[in-house]
Structures are given as structure tokens and as C-alpha cells.
Amino acid sequence: MEILIKNGRLVNEGHEYENGTLLIRGERIAEIGRPEADYTDFKGRVIDARGCLVIPGVIDPHVHFREPGLTYKGDMYSESRAAVAGGVTSYMDMPNTIPATTTLDDIARKEEMAAVSSVANYAFYLGATNENIEQVRRIDSSRVCGVKLFMGSSTGGMLVDDDYSISAIFAESPVIVAVHSEDERIIQENMRLFRERYGGDIKPEWHAEIRSAEACYAATARAVELADKYGADLHVLHLSTARELPLFSAKPLSDKHITAEACVNHLWFAAPDYAVKGNLIKVNPAIKSVEDRDALRTAVADGRIDIVATDHAPHTLDEKRLPYWECPSGLPSIEHSLAMMLGLAAAGFFSIGDVVEKMCHAPARRYGVRQRGFLREGMFADIALVTTNADWRVSDREVLYKCGWSPIAGSTLRHRVRTTIINGRVVYDNGVFDESFRGMPLEFDRARA
């Protein structure tokens, strides 16, 4: 089938085009920008994108879809549907499942699951441990998106705290080393002090003191030092503090081997929100001060933050209502992340072009995603159409997350995804899914686009 998109506002690679046309033929973008008059005799499907942004599909390189082993919280089908409804056409899933994804056979099994159930395109990280450097060495860099290294507490036995193992991973990984960067010794000492002082009576806002800015900075500084020492391709996940930002450069992405990610929740929420949201916004690393949040927003605009992701990590409401020490960290966000970022752009914190760069282009460039992330002739047709005057109120009753809630419930968003196209197919349109569609495994070139 051929699809013609017309009358939209195309945003791509630093440029905006009003009343643009885009022709899809099969799985690929065939033509961009030809006059509408050239399609007078067009016989395919026409999509009128009047009043919409037309952008590349979002590539989210940081999600936890909970399958296998934790599917009461979410699974590849439920969370990929939520992603697609939010304009996310490809995702990269983290390894802290049950069992943890710490072998290449584990990745193969997850790929088999995704082929059956994922509504979006997919890839999977290998989780680093103190013992699996041989698995890291054997990675097929065209198929595996990265190695996830936890330098803070984690699940599934993936806290890597052995100096030899950490050095070997940085020296020998054939793919990006994506680091959860918090110093475990500092966190454990803070936990001990808070338990001694307050026992079980911990307020959610103290989470930012337990998982402190000091813990973040110490681990991030060490990761950057190791990456420089070994020439590793380092990507530091979910920065949460202003203090870490001077460790990163505002140079063009193509000139960097050390890059930084911010997550939409750290750009949206700040410490005063704990008073209303409580443990619903408990996440690791912690959401911190207003000053930290504002510094991260500035870094999105000036280039020190290279990628914006979600760290989508659903838990049930019953789990999030537990007392602080028992409540798990993480929250769902992928269905609303693009709309949230466009809302922040409308508020003037950065531009719409910055949003497209950080959520579409930069993940493709940084990870070497083959033939995706841009509106270019010949590339896969992964596209989102976003209404710019939706004014819709987020409700827990309407979210697609399996966990059934959103931390931004009650908020009004101005932008809303109307249509999502993946691999040339209209997969989501005005609330209706093509339930027969399944995504493809991502492929990687490792030569940045």
C-alpha cells in the first residue's frame, strides 16, 4: 500500500516545513516534499495531517517492559501498545527481568517473545555481572543494543562492584556501555543513617537524600574516568543532578564517546512534587531539587544532554502504596513522554526541534540504529503525527499501561499522538490499533547516521 501524508508540519533534522507532503511506499519513505499537485491521481491512502506535527517515530532506548517474570506489572504487548499510542515506534529493553538477561541465550529468548507480542520495533540489552565478561565479548554488535552496567543497587544480581569486572567491561565491550550511575557505598551508608534515625517512618521526599546527589556524582565521575582511560563508548543513563552536568560536553554528538541521558520524569517533576505524589514518583536515581530539574532542562537545550528517554518501569498501585522501605522504585511514562516533552517545549524550556533531536535522531545516531530515526527517503517509515491543540486530561482510567496508573494523572496536556506509523503500516490511528501488526528487531550499524 502507498500512503500520502499531506498538510502537516514536518519537523526533521533542525528544519520545519509547513504543509509538507510525505509518500510511503511499502515499508519505506519514498518521497518527501514534492508539491501536492503531483499526486492528483494518487490511488493510495491519504492522511490529512492538518494541525499536526509530523515527526520521526520516537526511539526510546531505556525501558523496562517486565517480561519475562514480572508480567503482572507489564509485558511486551501491553507496554508496547502504550508506547505506540505515545508515538514511540522502537524501544530498547533493559535486562532486570526474572531471570535477568545476562546471557546471549536470554536475549534470544526475549527476541522470540517480542516477535510474537511486541507492537513496536525492539532490541534488548545484555546485563553485566561480575562473572559474565565472556558473554560481553561474544556480543553481536549488529543485534545487541548495549551492555547495561549497574553501578548502584539493582535486582537480579546485576550490581557490578568488582573492580576487575568493571574495568574489563569498559575495555572490551563491543557495544555501548549504558551505566546506571549511583555509588552503592554512599547509598547504603545513607540508608543506615536514616533507618537509625527514623526507623520505618520515612517520608518520600527523603528519597533524594538517601539516593543523594553525592552518590550520583561519585559514580558518574568514576564512569567517565574509566571511559576516558579505556576509550569506551559510555552512555550515562538518567542524570538527575546539576552537579553531574560539568562532566559532559556540549560538543556535537558525532564528536563524543561519552554521552548523557535525561529521563522525562526528571525533567517534569522536582522535590516539591513529593508532597502530592509521594511514592508514586519514587524512582532511582531520585527526583531531586527544582534547581537540579531546571539545570537538566537547560542541558537539553545546550547539548550536554544528548538523549531523552523514559526509564519506563511500571509497578502496581498496591506496590507503590507500600511504606517507603518496601515500595519499589520506578514509574510508567512511555505513553505520555512525547506529549510531556512537547509541552515543555511549548513552555519555552527548549525547542520542538530539540525534542525531535533528543528523542528521535540522537538515539538513532548514538546507538547506530539502522535506517530509522529520521524522515529521509529510503528509510523505514516510522512516523508520528501529533495534534498540537488537544488539551486532554490524563486519567488513570484511560491509560494503556498494564499497571493502570500514571504519575501525571490529572495533568492537562496540549499535545496528543493522533497516528503512529511503523514500518510503513498505520498501527495506531485515533485510538484504534491494527492488532495484527508486530514490530521488527532493530539492527545496528555502529557507524553514526
Side-chain angles (χ1 to χ4, degrees):
M1 178 181 287
E2 291 187 337
I3 300 171
L4 177 65
I5 301 171
K6 66 177 186 178
N7 298 326
R9 179 182 167 196
L10 276 63
V11 184
N12 185 60
E13 298 190 72
H15 300 284
E16 298 186 21
Y17 308 91
E18 297 290 346
N19 301 315
T21 61
L22 189 152
L23 177 67
I24 299 168
R25 185 176 293 127
E27 295 180 334
R28 306 276 179 162
I29 297 171
E31 298 172 350
I32 301 175
R34 285 182 58 181
E36 188 178 338
D38 289 354
Y39 300 104
T40 303
D41 298 324
F42 182 72
K43 303 300 183 185
R45 177 174 177 175
V46 177
I47 297 177
D48 190 335
R50 197 181 314 270
C52 291
L53 302 173
V54 180
I55 67 172
V58 171
I59 299 172
D60 191 335
H62 188 169
V63 307
H64 302 264
F65 279 2
R66 303 305 192 196
E67 189 173 358
L70 296 164
T71 53
Y72 71 95
K73 302 173 189 274
D75 55 52
M76 290 185 197
Y77 174 69
S78 65
E79 308 313 287
S80 67
R81 283 178 93 246
V84 169
V88 178
T89 55
S90 301
Y91 63 87
M92 303 178 202
D93 185 61
M94 290 296 174
N96 46 328
T97 49
I98 300 176
T101 313
T102 57
T103 71
L104 299 178
D105 286 344
D106 293 330
I107 288 180
R109 282 189 287 272
K110 288 178 83 169
E111 289 174 335
E112 290 171 0
M113 296 173 196
V116 172
S117 59
S118 180
V119 187
N121 302 317
Y122 50 86
F124 301 98
Y125 288 86
L126 180 73
T129 72
N130 284 326
E131 295 85 27
N132 74 342
I133 186 61
E134 283 302 322
Q135 295 289 310
V136 173
R137 292 174 179 139
R138 289 173 46 212
I139 284 173
D140 178 350
S141 63
S142 69
R143 178 174 141 238
V144 177
C145 56
V147 170
K148 175 66 176 290
L149 174 61
F150 285 90
M151 295 177 73
S153 58
S154 68
T155 59
M158 286 184 292
L159 173 60
V160 182
D161 55 4
D162 176 76
D163 287 341
Y164 172 81
S165 298
I166 292 173
S167 296
I169 291 163
F170 275 93
E172 300 187 54
S173 174
V175 293
I176 286 172
V177 180
V179 173
H180 179 127
S181 186
E182 294 181 284
D183 188 287
E184 180 65 9
R185 287 165 291 187
I186 294 172
I187 292 169
Q188 290 297 325
E189 177 61 14
N190 290 341
M191 285 182 173
R192 184 188 68 78
L193 293 172
F194 272 78
R195 283 186 186 276
E196 284 184 358
R197 190 174 305 167
Y198 301 107
D201 189 22
I202 297 293
K203 297 178 181 179
E205 57 263 37
W206 294 344
H207 188 55
E209 299 179 47
I210 293 171
R211 304 191 80 94
S212 63
E214 179 189 11
C216 294
Y217 180 82
T220 300
R222 184 179 181 218
V224 169
E225 179 182 12
L226 286 167
D228 276 333
K229 178 178 179 180
Y230 293 106
D233 235 357
L234 171 66
H235 185 59
V236 181
L237 302 167
H238 43 39
L239 289 193
S240 62
T241 75
R243 188 177 175 190
E244 293 165 279
L245 289 171
L247 296 170
F248 299 92
S249 167
K251 293 187 299 187
L253 181 58
S254 58
D255 294 339
K256 300 181 188 182
H257 73 97
I258 297 172
T259 52
E261 168 192 289
C263 288
V264 64
N265 297 305
H266 292 99
L267 298 168
W268 188 269
F269 295 111
D273 295 305
Y274 285 112
V276 175
K277 299 293 182 179
N279 284 336
L280 292 180
I281 59 170
K282 182 185 178 189
V283 64
N284 299 339
I287 288 162
K288 297 185 173 67
S289 70
V290 170
E291 291 76 19
D292 287 312
R293 181 200 64 193
D294 291 350
L296 293 171
R297 290 173 172 177
T298 298
V300 169
D302 70 24
R304 287 171 294 164
I305 297 293
D306 301 285
I307 289 173
V308 172
T310 61
D311 191 14
H312 174 80
H315 298 285
T316 67
L317 268 177
D318 285 343
E319 289 173 320
K320 296 299 281 186
R321 287 167 176 158
L322 291 170
Y324 174 83
W325 293 116
E326 288 77 43
C327 171
S329 293
L331 47 91
S333 53
I334 201 166
E335 185 178 348
H336 305 101
S337 58
L338 176 57
M340 292 164 72
M341 287 296 293
L342 290 170
L344 293 174
F349 296 110
F350 31 75
S351 70
I352 292 174
D354 289 330
V355 174
V356 174
E357 173 63 31
K358 307 301 180 180
M359 300 186 80
C360 310
H361 304 331
R365 288 193 181 102
R366 186 67 180 101
Y367 284 81
V369 180
R370 187 175 295 167
Q371 295 292 300
R372 303 185 191 275
F374 303 86
L375 301 180
R376 292 180 185 170
E377 294 178 1
M379 284 197 167
F380 282 102
D382 295 346
I383 300 166
L385 278 62
V386 186
T387 302
T388 59
N389 58 353
D391 290 331
W392 60 297
R393 188 174 176 84
V394 178
S395 167
D396 284 345
R397 294 189 302 275
E398 297 177 357
V399 299
L400 296 174
Y401 310 131
K402 194 171 188 179
C403 66
W405 65 277
S406 167
I408 64 164
S411 298
T412 298
L413 298 177
R414 177 176 168 183
H415 299 80
R416 189 168 196 171
V417 173
R418 192 189 87 183
T419 305
T420 304
I421 298 169
I422 306 178
N423 305 336
R425 286 268 295 274
V426 176
V427 180
Y428 175 84
D429 190 40
N430 286 303
V432 178
F433 287 89
D434 177 351
E435 294 289 356
S436 69
F437 180 83
R438 291 296 179 265
M440 298 167 57
L442 296 177
E443 297 179 328
F444 303 92
D445 282 329
R446 305 300 170 186
R448 298 178 192 176

